[in-house]
Amino acid sequence: MSSFHVLTNPGQQLDIPEVRSIGPADLVDALRLGWRDFWQRPSHLAFLGLIYPLCGAALALWSSGNNSWPLLFPLISGFALVGPFLALPIYEMSRREELGLDTHWRAAFDVFRSPAFASIAAVGVMMLIAFTVWLMVAQFIYESTFGPGSPATLAVFLSELFNTPQGTSLMIWGNLIGLLFAAAVLATMVVSIPLVLDRDVGAAVAIFTSLRVTIRNPLTIALWGIIVAALLVTGVIPLLVGLAVVVPVLGHATWHLYRKAVVPPGGAR
């Protein structure tokens, strides 16, 4: 009888993957491979990538419609907290490419029928919880600084933000606390979803493995976080449209980074 597994692998023995030391050159190579993979199927990946600017635009419209302008930046920046889960179809395309399977964009959604999807969903729920807590904290910081309520327009909010001492305090504390959230998610999720998709080791083992990769390569993973943040900001600037290219490239690059950081079951690949 097969046992239900979400936190650990389905076997009788706990499978703890081995991790490698990686350096800046590996990050550069992962990005190169990510761009190569994108360029092989730019129309397919751009189609998938359109999901991200559309979601960002939906968040902006929601903020304007509910007069929740102080949450606009936390919503868009916090979007990166759930990005590794939202890039799941991109990882699946990378996996299928390695196995010589169909890589049409429709095939990427076969991942939702994967035996490992329960474990993947568990990691996604953890990311969603982190995203929700971040929004609650961001709202608390704003109300602690400016009091309850919300500015009527974006122009009023920007004026408060850049022309008052409270706005300066809000930017400092908001960015510092946001950095802590981002660092925690990066450390626990840098290879989690690619690993559980590839090997179905369970959510807890995948997160533990990500932590081990981070602990073994703290400066390299920190540099990776900076690169990801810089590329996402670059994608956001042209009205979020750049995310249609940036997110697929990062998704493929993350898969290749996973391959470099985690030793496969059969040894070096």
Side-chain angles (χ1 to χ4, degrees):
M1 180 183 296
S2 61
S3 60
F4 177 77
H5 67 282
V6 173
L7 298 181
T8 61
N9 56 289
Q12 296 299 317
Q13 282 189 321
L14 194 61
D15 177 17
I16 303 295
E18 295 181 50
V19 300
R20 298 187 180 106
S21 296
I22 55 175
D26 293 301
L27 304 185
V28 173
D29 193 48
L31 287 169
R32 179 187 65 81
L33 293 171
W35 175 254
R36 181 205 65 186
D37 292 351
F38 172 81
W39 194 247
Q40 286 177 349
R41 299 175 295 276
S43 59
H44 293 172
L45 290 173
F47 177 85
L48 292 173
L50 285 175
I51 296 170
Y52 305 96
L54 289 175
C55 287
L59 293 175
L61 287 173
W62 178 86
S63 299
S64 62
N66 290 277
N67 290 331
S68 299
W69 293 114
L71 286 180
L72 178 59
F73 177 74
L75 278 166
I76 293 177
S77 61
F79 197 51
L81 299 180
V82 293
F85 181 76
L86 298 177
L88 183 57
I90 307 299
Y91 305 146
E92 175 65 4
M93 291 189 77
S94 295
R95 187 185 73 86
R96 297 178 73 87
E97 176 75 23
E98 286 184 0
L99 296 175
L101 301 174
D102 178 22
T103 55
H104 191 276
W105 66 266
R106 285 191 296 268
F109 291 96
D110 287 347
V111 67
F112 296 107
R113 296 192 290 271
S114 167
F117 188 72
S119 300
I120 295 169
V123 178
V125 167
M126 295 176 196
M127 292 179 175
L128 184 60
I129 291 172
F131 179 63
T132 303
V133 172
W134 159 239
L135 292 181
M136 294 172 64
V137 170
Q139 182 69 27
F140 174 78
I141 296 172
Y142 177 81
E143 292 187 354
S144 298
T145 306
F146 284 100
S150 181
T153 66
L154 178 60
V156 171
F157 172 63
L158 292 177
S159 177
E160 290 179 348
L161 190 64
F162 292 108
N163 298 319
T164 66
Q166 295 95 326
T168 301
S169 176
L170 177 66
M171 286 190 287
I172 291 173
W173 284 107
N175 282 300
L176 284 175
I177 295 174
L179 181 62
L180 292 177
F181 271 88
V185 170
L186 177 67
T188 54
M189 302 296 174
V190 63
V191 299
S192 293
I193 292 185
L195 172 58
V196 77
L197 174 63
D198 184 40
R199 293 171 57 175
D200 192 14
V201 294
V205 173
I207 291 170
F208 179 60
T209 302
S210 276
L211 282 171
R212 290 173 61 229
V213 169
T214 302
I215 292 169
R216 185 161 181 173
N217 307 280
L219 295 180
T220 303
I221 298 303
L223 178 59
W224 178 247
I226 293 170
I227 291 171
V228 169
L231 289 175
L232 289 175
V233 169
T234 303
V236 166
I237 289 174
L239 298 177
L240 306 174
V241 176
L243 294 178
V245 173
V246 168
V247 172
V249 170
L250 282 177
H252 274 299
T254 299
W255 177 268
H256 291 294
L257 181 64
Y258 152 68
R259 283 297 190 210
K260 294 175 180 295
V262 178
V263 178
R269 179 179 298 178

